[in-house]
Amino acid sequence: MSIIVLQYIESYHEYFLSVVFFEILQERHKYPCDLYIFYIYICHFYRVRAESPCSDMKRAAAKKLIERYFYQLTDGCGNPHCDNQHCASSGKVTNLTPNQAAAQAIQLFSQEARLCDGTQPSKVARTTIEPGQTSLAKSLPVKSVNPTSSDEGKQEPYLTEAKLLYIIEKCKAEDSYSLLIRTLGEVFSSGKALSLSFQKTEKSNSPLVALLERAPDTLLRPPADLNKEAVRSLQGEDKEEDSSDPSPTVPNNDDTSVDLPSVRRAFEALWSLPGEVFESALVNALVTLADDIELDLRVFRIVRWDSMDSLLNVFLIVFEIPMLGNSEYLELALHMLCKALSCLPIVAQAKLARVWAKHCKSRLPNLLQALQELITVKVIGGSFTRDYCVQDADTITAPTKVMKILYYASMLAGELDPPELILGDEAESASSDKTASRSAISGQIPQDPLATELGINALDARKPFIPFTDFYNEPLSDAIEMDKDFAYYKSEEPMKFSFMNYAFVLTPATKTLGLYYDNRIRMYSERRMSFLQTVVGQPTNPYLRLKVRRDHLIDDALVELEMVAMENPSDLKKQLVVEFEGEQGVDEGGVSKEFFQLVVEEIFNPDYGMFTTQEDTQMTWFNPTSFESDAQFTLIGIVLGLAIYNNVILDVRFPMVVYRKLLGRKGAFADLEDWSPTLYRTMKELMEYTGDDMPETFMQTFRVGYRDVFGSLSFHELKENGDELYVTQGNKKEFADLYADFLLNKSVERQFNAFRRGFQMVTDESPLALLFRPEEIEQLVCGSKIFDFAELEAATEYEGGYTVDSEAVRNFWRVAHSLPPESQRRLLQFTTGSDRVPVGGLSRLKMVIARHGPDSDRLPIAHTCFNVLLLPDYSTIEKLQDRLLKAINYSKGFGML
């Protein structure tokens, strides 16, 4: 049979290429007849019917009709009353062998015989392209991929590692690189050609396969370059295949048919040559490639692609180019490739993230660096205005979209927490609706579509492959006008790009601005509603006003907040105004800052009984034996939420697990490292012990002890009859997980749930969870840990006649820098109302020093609401130091200036 087929190929070589032979060869498992005889009939029929090869449309139509006749003869149309003598369902067709049916199908086609309506070639290969975002993809019947011919009947160029190495060696020998330049130009400018390049293949000792790999004159277009399974079939080496797997390498959901190690070796060999030899041609080819793909995705809706996997193969190959972050590639090719890649449907982006995470870990940092350099170059070199901002530049937004794919790939490639750590209400939401928000803070903020498709969340990443901070881009963060970005975020127009939806690229300081605008707009909205209610005769207070006594601060504050929470919780979203009874200060922000600081100092004091202090970390934790009601903890959660909502930094020291739990994740064994380092080290020793004598060595059972707030020792059994169950090699992980779950979750479940409920009352509609990760929320609540007065000096402004060169100003900074850290914090407290450093450092404070008259004995005065220090023009540095220290050490309360 092989001899007959090869004779036909010799006779009709050009004709076979132009018609259907190699197309259908890939579908041979779908036909019960002898494939070669069937298609010899077809090709012979074409040759006697036409002088020239058929067009694509005619060929496809003829092929489909012949296949319908074939299945009509063998399977029938399914109508038991069929009267078509050429249909098996009529009973008028005698038993035909597959080969006889194939021959008769061609005759019926040539006679234009009757064809039953119900007859369909159900076994014809079809490729379904999954629908993606904005319906860029459609589910279409697509013909099989032809590895050797293009849509116009011409053979597609392609590359393998062996071919590229041969070309390189040949060019070196001839001292001419024209063949290499032409090859790279042809392959890398064609998506079809590149998708067929560097494919995984099974090893074969076939001399014909070896000949194809070495053929010097047909490297780009070998007439017999069908897939190697087909070559072996022609040599009589065919083997039985699973009918559901027509190709040698069918990737699973997180795999690819591209031989990525081969690609890397090929690129390594290519860049062993001088770059000027070929790089210009390669860059031009990549630009053409990116343009064509973007056109396909935006205009032709990818119908020109046979499958999404073929398109992904292209991106997998080009993003392996090691020089993407250099010179011409960065300026010309990379941003074009990013534009094309950003047009992919969400399903395809998710698969790319999985493949990168599984097969390209070592490549991820370099790729991130290239994208960061591209964004930085475009930001620094751009001319942006209010009418044309960074959100409108696709040279910036496109690499940001690609960086999101990389962001999730980094999480998939790192350490992920199991789904069991999602808190109860979150888990129910996620299981009931995959597209529902998994945000613990804001149920109204939708989950990122790509994260939903991948089934992950930033909170799931315990340790990503690339640190989250490496994704920050400071030049971009500084260039963004967050008021406009927030407007784009709130816009219902889908084409508006907002970096708030790509918050991983923004620094915490910039994200804080986004949260600030959201909070302020919500406050103004509540104020407008109060005004309208007043107009219609139902006057309400436009502010959340608290009047408290200094000596009864906690009682007064909690009582008033409890009344607000019970009567109208939405009032918590109004702007907070605090008034200390008997004091005349008007709250423009400074009074509120002191109020929060005093509340925190008192209520988080262990003597108050609601919270305890960890011995080895001095961090605050919930008292598991507290006698306070749930309402008290709810009110503390409200206070924490109000501090964030009103942009006030608090002096609290929670372990990181608190912020993870606020965002909807349970505490786990890994959280013990921050919660109690001593206990964590002990547990690690137990977990890493490999001996079989664990019960005798550690004498640890599933009964654990802990001390309550009074110092009394209590016990808890992690499992039933835990006192009789010793920890062994087989159950030590279970013990560690149960112990951590008890300490971080179950023992304080009542207290923490109440605390979280109060926190959500204030922040439930805020984009807090969209913008911030747990460690960033800690910065938001507690401020930065970097205390640098040099930053404060560089950012300070001067008024009232002072300049940076004024003698009193120079003396002030000499004194400020010479103070011990504790006194510096008091100075910061005196001037701004808070001794905490805001997110982004002291440069964010924008302090103002104003001249307050000539030399006198008066003390300096501060307007904490506006960060203004009124400093008399003291004549000597000694006098300035004396008056300043008295002011910061003895100031308390608010009086009328």
Side-chain angles (χ1 to χ4, degrees):
M1 180 57 64
S2 298
I3 296 175
I4 296 175
V5 173
L6 291 174
Q7 286 176 349
Y8 271 99
I9 291 177
E10 274 188 8
S11 302
Y12 305 128
H13 173 70
E14 293 296 330
Y15 192 72
F16 276 135
L17 287 179
S18 64
V19 191
V20 290
F21 182 79
F22 293 119
E23 292 180 12
I24 308 304
L25 189 58
Q26 291 192 3
E27 301 176 18
R28 65 180 301 270
H29 67 284
K30 296 181 181 293
Y31 297 94
C33 63
D34 191 311
L35 175 74
Y36 310 118
I37 293 180
F38 182 22
Y39 280 98
I40 286 170
Y41 285 144
I42 295 179
C43 295
H44 177 69
F45 173 74
Y46 280 148
R47 190 163 192 257
V48 299
R49 285 289 299 263
E51 292 295 326
S52 60
C54 298
S55 68
D56 285 344
M57 187 175 299
K58 291 180 180 178
R59 184 176 72 225
K63 174 187 164 194
K64 184 175 181 181
L65 283 173
I66 292 173
E67 288 168 344
R68 290 186 65 186
Y69 280 115
F70 175 83
Y71 287 112
Q72 178 176 282
L73 290 168
T74 56
D75 298 343
C77 66
N79 180 7
H81 305 294
C82 179
D83 59 355
N84 186 351
Q85 61 179 343
H86 303 300
C87 178
S89 296
S90 68
K92 298 178 182 179
V93 177
T94 57
N95 292 331
L96 299 176
T97 65
N99 290 336
Q100 290 172 339
Q104 191 170 338
I106 295 175
Q107 292 177 0
L108 295 175
F109 172 76
S110 64
Q111 298 167 3
E112 298 183 1
R114 176 184 172 187
L115 189 63
C116 294
D117 293 337
T119 307
Q120 294 294 337
S122 58
K123 301 180 184 179
V124 175
R126 292 176 180 266
T127 301
T128 301
I129 302 175
E130 297 181 70
Q133 191 178 27
T134 66
S135 298
L136 286 177
K138 298 178 180 179
S139 181
L140 298 169
V142 183
K143 66 181 180 181
S144 300
V145 176
N146 182 350
T148 59
S149 65
S150 68
D151 292 341
E152 290 75 23
K154 297 186 299 183
Q155 300 158 337
E156 278 290 356
Y158 75 105
L159 270 178
T160 65
E161 180 186 3
K163 293 176 183 180
L164 184 59
L165 293 177
Y166 175 84
I167 293 174
I168 291 173
E169 293 303 319
K170 183 176 181 181
C171 290
K172 285 181 179 179
E174 297 176 353
D175 197 22
S176 171
Y177 292 91
S178 58
L179 176 59
L180 176 63
I181 292 172
R182 185 172 67 251
T183 302
L184 295 178
E186 290 187 8
V187 174
F188 281 87
S189 64
S190 167
K192 183 74 70 175
L194 199 55
S195 69
L196 298 172
S197 299
F198 301 106
Q199 294 292 293
K200 295 177 183 176
T201 55
E202 296 182 6
K203 300 297 182 182
S204 173
N205 296 323
S206 164
L208 180 55
V209 173
L211 178 62
L212 287 175
E213 293 290 345
R214 298 195 304 269
D217 298 323
T218 56
L219 283 168
L220 291 179
R221 297 180 176 88
D225 185 45
L226 37 144
N227 67 55
K228 293 188 175 71
E229 285 299 308
V231 173
R232 284 195 289 274
S233 296
L234 289 176
Q235 294 178 305
E237 300 173 5
D238 191 21
K239 63 182 180 181
E240 188 140 341
E241 291 182 342
D242 181 0
S243 61
S244 64
D245 187 8
S247 62
T249 53
V250 176
N252 58 31
N253 202 32
D254 59 353
D255 211 339
T256 174
S257 63
V258 176
D259 190 348
L260 288 169
S262 176
V263 172
R264 293 171 191 137
R265 292 192 300 267
F267 284 152
E268 183 179 356
L270 184 60
W271 263 271
S272 67
L273 301 174
E276 61 272 10
V277 170
F278 63 89
E279 286 193 339
S280 179
L282 182 57
V283 169
N284 292 334
L286 291 173
V287 171
T288 301
L289 172 73
D291 272 336
D292 289 345
I293 293 177
E294 185 181 4
L295 185 67
D296 284 351
L297 294 174
R298 290 189 184 276
V299 180
F300 295 107
R301 307 295 188 186
I302 70 172
V303 296
R304 294 172 57 184
W305 285 88
D306 296 312
S307 72
M308 189 55 65
D309 284 342
S310 298
L311 187 53
L312 288 180
N313 288 350
V314 173
F315 289 114
L316 285 171
I317 293 172
V318 297
F319 277 96
E320 286 291 331
I321 295 175
M323 298 299 176
L324 277 182
N326 293 6
S327 59
E328 288 183 276
Y329 297 93
L330 192 71
E331 289 290 332
L332 299 175
L334 182 56
H335 93 266
M336 298 292 291
L337 291 169
C338 289
K339 284 174 62 179
L341 179 53
S342 65
C343 297
L344 281 178
I346 293 298
V347 173
Q349 292 183 27
K351 176 164 185 179
L352 181 61
R354 286 191 290 263
V355 174
W356 272 348
K358 183 176 181 180
H359 301 287
C360 307
K361 283 187 180 182
S362 60
R363 177 67 182 149
L364 297 184
N366 293 332
L367 187 52
L368 175 61
Q369 182 179 356
L371 294 172
Q372 292 282 34
E373 289 177 1
L374 174 59
I375 293 173
T376 301
V377 166
K378 297 302 180 183
V379 167
I380 295 175
S383 300
F384 302 109
T385 65
R386 290 290 294 179
D387 295 327
Y388 180 73
C389 53
V390 290
Q391 291 90 340
D392 301 319
D394 58 14
T395 55
I396 296 173
T397 59
T400 303
K401 293 176 182 177
V402 176
M403 198 185 294
K404 187 204 285 189
I405 303 175
L406 194 65
Y407 177 71
Y408 287 117
S410 170
M411 286 191 281
L412 291 172
E415 298 177 12
L416 294 176
D417 281 337
E420 306 87 68
L421 294 184
I422 301 176
L423 285 178
D425 54 347
E426 290 268 311
E428 292 173 7
S429 174
S431 62
S432 62
D433 183 2
K434 184 181 179 182
T435 62
S437 169
R438 293 169 63 189
S439 165
I441 303 301
S442 175
Q444 298 183 10
I445 296 177
Q447 176 77 337
D448 178 70
L450 182 55
T452 302
E453 181 64 34
L454 289 167
I456 62 172
N457 185 288
L459 295 173
D460 299 332
R462 176 69 61 173
K463 186 178 180 182
F465 185 74
I466 303 175
F468 286 124
T469 53
D470 287 1
F471 287 87
Y472 296 156
N473 189 292
E474 292 190 8
L476 173 63
S477 298
D478 293 339
I480 293 174
E481 298 181 42
M482 283 305 294
D483 58 338
K484 195 162 188 175
D485 194 79
F486 180 78
Y488 284 175
Y489 166 70
K490 286 294 187 180
S491 174
E492 295 181 357
E493 185 178 345
M495 297 303 292
K496 292 294 186 182
F497 180 94
S498 171
F499 283 100
M500 286 182 66
N501 291 316
Y502 299 82
F504 58 85
V505 79
L506 304 178
T507 60
T510 301
K511 288 188 277 194
T512 302
L513 286 176
L515 185 65
Y516 172 81
Y517 286 120
D518 181 80
N519 295 343
R520 290 299 167 185
I521 290 173
R522 206 175 305 281
M523 290 177 185
Y524 296 151
S525 175
E526 292 291 338
R527 204 175 300 173
R528 286 196 303 270
M529 289 299 298
S530 296
F531 174 76
L532 293 175
Q533 289 176 334
T534 301
V535 170
V536 299
Q538 298 177 350
T540 60
N541 195 325
Y543 300 98
L544 173 59
R545 192 176 297 275
L546 299 180
K547 187 173 182 178
V548 295
R549 296 166 294 175
R550 282 187 179 271
D551 52 351
H552 296 84
L553 182 67
I554 300 299
D555 293 338
D556 292 351
L558 296 187
V559 167
E560 291 202 35
L561 287 175
E562 185 174 16
M563 291 177 61
V564 172
M566 291 176 60
E567 293 176 3
N568 191 4
S570 64
D571 284 352
L572 296 172
K573 297 180 175 61
K574 295 178 179 179
Q575 184 175 352
L576 177 66
V577 175
V578 177
E579 178 184 346
F580 284 102
E581 191 174 280
E583 300 182 20
Q584 297 173 317
V586 177
D587 190 5
E588 292 290 344
V591 182
S592 298
K593 291 178 184 178
E594 185 177 10
F595 163 76
F596 279 113
Q597 184 168 356
L598 294 175
V599 167
V600 166
E601 286 178 359
E602 187 167 346
I603 208 163
F604 285 98
N605 190 319
D607 295 339
Y608 200 77
M610 294 182 67
F611 295 90
T612 62
T613 300
Q614 301 291 98
E615 291 184 5
D616 49 351
T617 62
Q618 295 302 302
M619 288 187 176
T620 301
W621 186 245
F622 300 88
N623 180 7
T625 58
S626 172
F627 298 114
E628 299 294 336
S629 66
D630 291 356
Q632 296 290 87
F633 284 97
T634 299
L635 294 175
I636 302 306
I638 291 175
V639 169
L640 185 66
L642 285 174
I644 293 177
Y645 193 64
N646 289 271
N647 202 31
V648 177
I649 299 172
L650 301 179
D651 184 14
V652 296
R653 287 178 55 83
F654 280 130
M656 188 60 63
V657 65
V658 170
Y659 302 104
R660 285 183 55 82
K661 286 164 70 71
L662 282 175
L663 290 176
R665 294 298 182 273
K666 295 180 181 179
F669 174 72
D671 294 305
L672 291 177
E673 184 175 12
D674 178 60
W675 187 78
S676 177
T678 303
L679 175 61
Y680 180 76
R681 287 193 297 269
T682 303
M683 295 293 293
K684 285 288 287 184
E685 291 177 5
L686 183 146
M687 294 290 289
E688 294 170 358
Y689 188 77
T690 57
D692 294 331
D693 57 344
M694 282 192 72
E696 296 79 10
T697 302
F698 292 93
M699 297 294 291
Q700 177 64 55
T701 67
F702 275 71
R703 184 191 187 204
V704 294
Y706 64 97
R707 293 191 180 276
D708 59 21
V709 70
F710 304 107
S712 301
L713 185 62
S714 301
F715 294 94
H716 173 77
E717 292 192 354
L718 301 176
K719 296 181 69 173
E720 188 176 353
N721 298 323
D723 192 31
E724 302 173 3
L725 180 62
Y726 281 88
V727 177
T728 65
Q729 290 291 348
N731 61 21
K732 64 182 181 181
K733 185 179 185 308
E734 181 187 14
F735 169 77
D737 291 339
L738 289 174
Y739 193 16
D741 184 49
F742 169 71
L743 292 175
L744 302 177
N745 303 312
K746 291 182 178 179
S747 65
V748 294
E749 185 173 15
R750 176 183 66 85
Q751 295 88 336
F752 180 81
N753 286 345
F755 173 77
R756 182 168 178 251
R757 186 163 54 249
F759 185 73
Q760 287 179 308
M761 285 183 182
V762 185
T763 60
D764 60 345
E765 296 178 352
S766 167
L768 190 67
L770 173 74
L771 296 175
F772 297 94
R773 297 189 309 277
E775 60 271 22
E776 294 173 329
I777 292 184
E778 182 189 32
Q779 291 185 49
L780 191 66
V781 173
C782 306
S784 173
K785 297 179 180 179
I786 302 174
F787 195 84
D788 187 357
F789 255 49
E791 285 186 12
L792 182 62
E793 180 180 0
T796 298
E797 300 176 356
Y798 304 95
E799 295 179 356
Y802 278 154
T803 68
V804 68
D805 296 320
S806 299
E807 184 67 22
V809 169
R810 291 202 301 268
N811 288 338
F812 171 81
W813 287 116
R814 290 191 190 102
V815 171
H817 289 303
S818 66
L819 295 175
E822 187 59 35
S823 294
Q824 286 183 336
R825 289 195 176 275
R826 289 199 190 101
L827 174 58
L828 194 64
Q829 167 75 34
F830 172 75
T831 308
T832 67
S834 172
D835 66 349
R836 312 298 294 176
V837 181
V839 178
L842 287 173
S843 61
R844 299 277 172 176
L845 279 178
K846 304 298 182 185
M847 190 173 80
V848 175
I849 299 178
R851 189 174 185 270
H852 194 218
D855 183 25
S856 69
D857 292 332
R858 299 177 63 184
L859 297 178
I861 299 172
H863 294 297
T864 56
C865 303
F866 308 103
N867 299 341
V868 175
L869 175 66
L870 301 178
L871 184 70
D873 194 357
Y874 297 115
S875 58
T876 65
I877 189 172
E878 291 79 14
K879 189 173 186 179
L880 185 148
Q881 182 172 7
D882 176 71
R883 298 297 185 271
L884 184 63
L885 288 177
K886 286 181 180 179
I888 65 177
N889 289 328
Y890 300 107
S891 64
K892 192 173 185 180
F894 297 86
M896 185 70 72
L897 295 177

